[in-house]
Amino acid sequence: MADYPVREVEARWQKWWAERGVYRTPEPPNRKYYVLEMFLYPSGDMHMGHARNYSIGDVMYRYRRMQGFDALHPFGWDAFGLPAENAAIKHGNHPADWTFSSIDLCRRNLNLLGISYDWDREVTTANPDYYRWNQWLFIKFFERGLAYRKEAYANWCPGCQTVLANEQVEEGLCYRCKSNVEKRKLTQWFFKITEYAQRLLDGLDTLPGWPENVKTMQRNWIGRSEGCEVDFVLADSGEKFPIFTTRPDTLFGVTFMALAPDAQLAETIAKGTDREKEVRDFIQRVLQRPEIERTAQTGDKEGIFTGKYATNPLTGDRVPIYIADFVLGSYGTGMIMAVPAHDQRDFEFARKYKIPIKVVIQPQATSHKPQALDPASMTAAYVDEGIMTNSRQFDGLPNLEGIGKVIGFLVEKGLGRKVVNYRLKDWLVSRQRYWGTPIPMIHCPKCGIVPVPEKDLPVLLPRNVKDYRPKGKSVLAGVEDFYHTTCPKCGGKATRDPDTMDTFVDSSWYYLRYTDAHNDKLPFAPDRANRWLPIDDYIGGIEHACGHLIFFRFFHKVLHDMAMLSTDEPNTRLHTHGLVHLEGKVMSSSKRIGIWVGDFVKEHGADVARLAVLFAAPPDKGMDWQADTPIGVGRFIARLYTLFQDNLKTVTFDPVPRPQTPGPAQHLYIRLNQTIKKVRDDLESFQFNTAIAALMEFLNDLTEYASRMTPNALRQNPPASSVERPASSEVFGFALGRLIYLLAPFTPHLAEELWHQTGHSDSIIEQRLPDYDPAAVQFDQVEIPVQVNGKLRSRLVVARRLPEPEIRKLALADSKVQEYTKGQNVMKVIYIPDRLVNIVVSRKQ
Ligand code: ANZ
Ligand code: ZN
């Protein structure tokens, strides 16, 4: 075995690729291809989970290049944000030092892996030349009414000491530090993503290349719900009390009303009554509990009577108003009509507080359900379809029909309106932390909120801050010479907005900056971006389904409306990859769980690292890193190298004629073309593991063929007939040549080395990936050796995967086989599909 000097070879080609600028992006592109992996939070070392993400994009880049595309494959750093800041606080240095040294380490790792990035377009969000455009965009959003400030209950993370967007609260916990998120009333900046709710929903139907599960998650997150608002009336004041319901067919069954503890009206409804204090205490107590917990379907419901009543506009009934913990302040109007007979939460609440239950939908009487519902004996709400009852002029209507009829009636009488509600809320974008983009707004006591003039951008994040640790209010408010400024409008004393932006703002448009990374007039020039967009393949984690992957679609649509982009969606094909686990735990830089790219590559080489993460599982599935994960692929690379060293002179690149007669040469030719087809098909469908498996099988074919061609092998195992002689090495040399191309997307270093060893001086990536010979692929035959008592006696050329009984028949009928079985008892026939027949005989007694 020739030893593969992997370190020397890989380093040599990496250097050569960089010098030659092999991965530089051509402008303007002829046939464009834009492949992108989500950029990285540089929060420490890089593990094999990262390697997997980037290898996937790298394979696709190389494959498309070898199909003649002009490709863009950039990379950058999501460099602002809490993890960097928290880590820096822990290590006692500045977030910038920590972030930039982390970036250097990660960049070195990516280069060690041989990932094909165009580093001329590197983007770092913590650099002023990037974040100034966050500020520019913020102001544009403000001018369009898409950025606004309001006081509202916000998600507050006591651990991170900052507010969070809804998208950053996972099951009631902070997505970063897993603290219980609280509600606090604060004045914050929001982006009006709700104005785009319908378009974000409709756009999903135009994305056949997105995984269904991601689209479903986004649809649920946006949560469109059709129903109506009905104006109940406060019994004493006559004030309107609008509620949102999807079930107007149950309006005659309302027996109480409920307000969310954080609804506007909840604060004032009991004012001046003897219940005021009790109600206030209740609200305060309930708001301390996580929203997720108190609004869960299951679990005890809690409420308090406000002392007030509302009048049902249809029936004139007076019903009590409660504040109830299960009502969401941020959905619909924050107030509900409750129908205990037909809504389970209302039912439980009514039982607990002894509120009457009134049935207004009866199930169709059937032999299974002969009895009408009786509130006294009900043990749960009846939530299925039925016939309206106790509902005056609507009695007898199927309830689904009744929904439309009741809405029609309400609209006609001016008592309600049809509405569509979305669960999606406006995006809270201000943060009270230090390490982020300063919000480019000035607060003037005279002029109000004034944007920083464009010529004064960027508003630089002050570098020398004595104490940037979070203390529950904005860190930058404590930086005197930053905070105090003058108003651009009136010139008077004013203050800067001390908050920084959510880093998801940074990541909402970075993919656009790559198309024009050095522009100092605009975030990007529209014609440049439009050349490359949409992103053809976008690769990243499923955890971004309802965060980043909605936000960047929102930004894209806004920029489309600003006439800066011609497309309406940022990306056509999305790939969410599974996570890499080590001993049952997800690899994680911050938790120091992982196989580290730098260490691994130094020991095994980049090509082994790439194959190890690509071969273990399809990209969308998770994988477990095992000690032997790299062993098989390492052996594959070593065997390839040896085979080529042994046969370097044989390698040819000019097409050979298809061998016309059955035999090993023809077989090899067929296998070659099958392999080319398989690899190409699998690359199209992102099945890298099976493509690599096909290459491994093909290596077996080549090795077997090579072993038959040695003089020794020919002597020991003479061809059974002159027609089947494997003498020609023409096909073999050609197959080796073709294999170099097929390896290039997966093991670029080895492929480049072999390409140059066989007399080339350009890069293999500048070549076209060969196509297969369709005639050879159809012509799918195998040659099967037939042994009698373990000795080769003949070969059968048959259709691949021929059923066993037929093979048996053919083998036993073969004239050469019969010479050895004549007068013998056939004891058994062993058949290894497509590989071998062995006939075991014994002398007749
Ligand atoms: C009366 C009713 C009767 C309801 C019935 C349901 C069944 P979706 O589909 O999610 O939009 N609701 C409205 N606003 C709410 C809030 N802020 N917090 C909690 N619940 C709220 O659900 C709409 C239904 O959820 C509405 O229809 C309302 O209850 C409740 F037999 O109104 B329904
Ligand atoms: Zn937190």
Side-chain angles (χ1 to χ4, degrees):
M1 285 260 269
D3 249 352
Y4 179 33
V6 56
R7 238 162 304 173
E8 182 274 316
V9 169
E10 291 186 346
R12 177 154 43 80
W13 292 120
Q14 284 167 6
K15 184 159 168 276
W16 187 75
W17 291 333
E19 282 164 8
R20 192 177 162 89
V22 169
Y23 307 124
R24 210 171 287 141
T25 316
E27 287 282 4
N30 271 323
R31 279 168 82 202
K32 76 96 181 173
Y33 172 68
Y34 186 0
V35 56
L36 185 63
E37 299 100 59
M38 288 180 186
F39 66 175
L40 179 74
Y41 257 126
S43 58
D45 210 345
M46 200 180 251
H47 54 67
M48 282 301 181
H50 297 115
R52 189 162 187 235
N53 192 28
Y54 307 129
S55 298
I56 291 168
D58 188 67
V59 168
M60 281 313 285
Y61 170 84
R62 292 174 190 278
Y63 172 52
R64 293 284 186 237
R65 277 286 302 270
M66 293 180 76
Q67 287 181 312
F69 285 90
D70 289 335
L72 170 60
H73 189 207
F75 200 67
W77 314 99
D78 193 8
F80 272 143
L82 293 184
E85 198 177 309
N86 290 340
I89 289 167
K90 201 164 113 193
H91 295 100
N93 51 13
H94 192 279
D97 301 337
W98 192 85
T99 302
F100 286 99
S101 66
S102 205
I103 288 175
D104 286 340
L105 177 64
C106 291
R107 197 193 294 104
R108 272 202 304 281
N109 279 331
L110 289 168
N111 284 327
L112 273 179
L113 281 168
I115 307 288
S116 53
Y117 294 129
D118 178 354
W119 288 111
D120 290 349
R121 295 176 186 237
E122 182 177 1
V123 156
T124 306
T125 60
N127 281 339
D129 67 0
Y130 185 84
Y131 72 68
R132 92 181 258 192
W133 302 114
N134 281 344
Q135 295 172 338
W136 187 90
L137 287 164
F138 191 101
I139 292 167
K140 294 287 170 208
F141 276 40
F142 179 76
E143 288 165 358
R144 299 177 76 82
L146 291 172
Y148 67 95
R149 223 162 93 100
K150 73 167 178 199
E151 189 186 43
Y153 277 99
N155 305 302
W156 174 264
C157 172
C160 299
Q161 296 274 304
T162 182
V163 295
L164 298 172
N166 287 343
E167 287 77 4
Q168 292 161 339
V169 182
E170 293 169 354
E171 318 228 322
L173 306 180
C174 168
Y175 78 124
R176 278 285 164 216
C177 75
K178 311 292 175 207
S179 304
N180 264 320
V181 172
E182 298 166 5
K183 288 272 170 189
R184 277 203 192 178
K185 200 157 201 182
L186 294 162
T187 301
Q188 297 290 324
W189 284 99
F190 291 84
F191 281 166
K192 212 185 229 167
I193 191 171
T194 52
E195 199 168 302
Y196 284 73
Q198 192 58 45
R199 278 170 67 188
L200 287 167
L201 204 54
D202 294 340
L204 293 173
D205 297 333
T206 69
L207 299 174
W210 275 39
E212 278 310 316
N213 64 335
V214 174
K215 287 191 279 188
T216 303
M217 287 162 87
Q218 292 206 352
R219 285 192 187 104
N220 292 340
W221 185 261
I222 296 167
R224 183 191 155 98
S225 175
E226 283 179 27
C228 67
E229 263 177 29
V230 185
D231 293 327
F232 280 65
V233 180
L234 280 177
D236 47 2
S237 69
E239 253 177 88
K240 278 193 180 154
F241 187 100
I243 59 92
F244 172 70
T245 180
T246 48
R247 296 292 305 277
D249 55 319
T250 62
L251 251 167
F252 290 85
V254 175
T255 56
F256 71 99
M257 310 297 288
L259 278 168
D262 48 344
Q264 283 284 324
L265 187 60
E267 284 173 43
T268 53
I269 190 157
K271 257 219 174 97
T273 72
D274 55 352
R275 303 189 63 81
E276 181 173 354
K277 184 171 162 11
E278 210 182 324
V279 168
R280 203 185 327 114
D281 290 349
F282 175 80
I283 292 175
Q284 267 183 0
R285 184 162 56 79
V286 167
L287 285 182
Q288 236 123 67
R289 288 175 56 207
E291 191 171 70
I292 176 99
E293 188 184 306
R294 60 185 169 83
T295 59
Q297 275 299 337
T298 53
D300 199 29
K301 318 257 165 319
E302 236 195 312
I304 189 166
F305 177 49
T306 60
K308 294 289 170 77
Y309 292 85
T311 307
N312 184 329
L314 270 197
T315 62
D317 288 351
R318 237 169 68 110
V319 291
I321 301 174
Y322 283 75
I323 292 172
D325 64 350
F326 66 86
V327 183
L328 284 160
S330 55
Y331 188 64
T333 62
M335 318 195 256
I336 65 163
M337 65 180 218
V339 186
H342 304 294
D343 181 283
Q344 186 58 25
R345 297 197 289 192
D346 300 351
F347 180 85
E348 287 166 29
F349 195 88
R351 279 277 192 261
K352 180 166 173 183
Y353 293 100
K354 313 232 166 6
I355 301 168
I357 295 173
K358 190 176 159 199
V359 172
V360 292
I361 312 274
Q362 283 290 0
Q364 292 267 31
T366 64
S367 50
H368 302 292
K369 276 189 206 151
Q371 233 121 54
L373 293 170
D374 170 13
S377 61
M378 284 170 81
T379 52
Y382 179 74
V383 299
D384 295 330
E385 285 169 39
I387 303 296
M388 289 175 73
T389 180
N390 286 325
S391 300
R392 294 191 199 161
Q393 70 265 42
F394 301 101
D395 278 358
L397 276 180
N399 75 307
L400 293 184
E401 215 174 289
I403 292 177
K405 290 266 157 62
V406 174
I407 295 180
F409 184 81
L410 290 168
V411 171
E412 200 189 296
K413 300 279 171 200
L415 301 172
R417 52 232 147 247
K418 226 180 145 119
V419 293
V420 174
N421 250 317
Y422 298 91
R423 231 157 248 292
L424 183 72
K425 292 293 152 246
D426 278 342
W427 171 13
L428 202 172
V429 293
S430 43
R431 296 290 179 274
Q432 290 71 53
R433 298 289 298 241
Y434 165 72
W435 191 232
T437 304
I439 289 181
M441 292 288 167
I442 290 169
H443 300 276
C444 170
K446 250 194 266 155
C447 312
I449 294 177
V450 184
V452 172
E454 202 175 319
K455 66 170 174 42
D456 295 339
L457 296 182
V459 177
L460 287 175
L461 180 67
R463 172 74 217 225
N464 294 317
V465 174
K466 272 185 225 78
D467 187 5
Y468 48 78
R469 280 172 309 166
K471 285 173 286 290
K473 63 183 183 67
S474 311
V475 173
L476 293 180
V479 183
E480 296 288 310
D481 52 352
F482 173 85
Y483 187 55
H484 296 287
T485 184
T486 50
C487 170
K489 239 191 203 159
C490 72
K493 277 194 173 160
T495 53
R496 288 191 189 278
D497 196 294
D499 284 357
T500 53
M501 290 182 211
D502 181 3
T503 56
F504 279 90
V505 174
D506 313 3
S507 53
S508 289
W509 68 279
Y510 76 108
Y511 65 99
L512 298 166
R513 183 69 178 170
Y514 288 137
T515 66
D516 196 8
H518 304 288
N519 197 325
D520 59 5
K521 304 278 181 305
L522 284 171
F524 57 90
D527 64 323
R528 286 227 158 203
N530 287 330
R531 279 175 198 172
W532 289 105
L533 286 153
I535 306 162
D536 295 278
D537 283 306
Y538 193 27
I539 299 150
I542 185 86
E543 70 274 18
H544 295 294
C546 294
H548 164 64
L549 289 171
I550 290 185
F551 295 146
F552 91 134
R553 295 182 56 222
F554 164 58
F555 260 66
H556 200 95
K557 287 180 191 301
V558 174
L559 287 160
H560 173 82
D561 293 351
M562 287 166 63
M564 288 184 72
L565 293 173
S566 55
T567 44
D568 196 42
E569 287 286 342
N571 155 238
T572 44
R573 247 198 345 172
L574 173 73
H575 310 269
T576 48
H577 59 79
L579 297 173
V580 180
H581 294 81
L582 182 65
E583 288 156 10
K585 297 199 187 89
V586 176
M587 287 194 187
S588 154
S589 300
S590 55
K591 296 197 190 107
R592 292 297 304 165
I593 302 170
I595 299 290
W596 307 104
V597 167
D599 300 342
F600 184 89
V601 170
K602 270 176 213 138
E603 196 176 331
H604 302 274
D607 287 344
V608 171
R610 299 161 58 104
L611 285 186
V613 287
L614 293 174
F615 181 56
D620 56 329
K621 298 278 178 318
M623 67 170 273
D624 269 316
W625 184 274
Q626 307 281 352
D628 59 2
T629 299
I631 293 178
V633 292
R635 204 174 294 142
F636 171 60
I637 288 177
R639 281 179 58 204
L640 278 168
Y641 186 76
T642 306
L643 180 70
F644 275 94
Q645 300 317 298
D646 291 350
N647 296 284
L648 261 189
K649 293 221 176 58
T650 322
V651 180
T652 56
F653 295 90
D654 294 332
V656 295
R658 180 184 328 134
Q660 292 303 319
T661 48
Q666 190 189 63
H667 177 59
L668 187 67
Y669 184 82
I670 292 170
R671 289 287 300 120
L672 168 66
N673 285 286
Q674 287 172 336
T675 306
I676 296 175
K677 179 172 191 312
K678 173 86 179 141
V679 168
R680 292 184 72 119
D681 290 352
D682 286 354
L683 279 166
E684 284 300 335
S685 56
F686 263 63
Q687 299 293 319
F688 306 131
N689 58 324
T690 50
I692 295 166
L695 290 169
M696 289 174 166
E697 280 172 38
F698 188 53
L699 174 62
N700 289 339
D701 290 306
L702 286 164
T703 314
E704 191 186 310
Y705 189 94
S707 69
R708 278 208 212 154
M709 285 198 314
T710 62
N712 218 1
L714 287 171
R715 217 174 305 121
Q716 277 178 9
N717 234 346
S721 78
S722 61
V723 178
E724 291 160 11
R725 200 191 323 268
S728 148
S729 60
E730 211 184 16
V731 173
F732 179 68
F734 177 64
L736 287 175
R738 284 298 188 244
L739 180 58
I740 300 178
Y741 296 96
L742 296 181
L743 290 170
F746 304 97
T747 56
H749 306 85
L750 176 64
E752 195 76 271
E753 176 73 1
L754 297 174
W755 181 246
H756 287 251
Q757 283 186 355
T758 50
H760 303 92
S761 54
D762 54 354
S763 173
I764 180 88
I765 204 172
E766 290 155 12
Q767 302 299 310
R768 289 299 179 93
L769 197 73
D771 216 336
Y772 58 90
D773 172 359
V777 169
Q778 278 159 17
F779 177 32
D780 188 7
Q781 291 183 318
V782 282
E783 188 206 53
I784 305 175
V786 184
Q787 301 176 335
V788 178
N789 284 352
K791 286 219 177 65
L792 181 73
R793 298 304 182 193
S794 184
R795 293 171 194 272
L796 295 174
V797 176
V798 296
R800 187 177 291 279
R801 284 179 214 98
L802 199 64
E804 176 151 6
E806 289 185 48
I807 286 277
R808 225 182 131 100
K809 233 190 303 175
L810 285 173
L812 292 170
D814 184 274
S815 61
K816 270 175 269 133
V817 170
Q818 285 197 343
E819 285 174 32
Y820 298 93
T821 56
K822 219 178 335 167
Q824 315 255 11
N825 260 338
V826 175
M827 308 297 291
K828 63 176 169 190
V829 179
I830 300 160
Y831 175 49
I832 303 168
D834 294 343
R835 301 194 81 87
L836 181 79
V837 179
N838 186 11
I839 301 169
V840 182
V841 294
S842 70
R843 194 163 292 284
K844 271 197 174 130
Q845 300 295 312

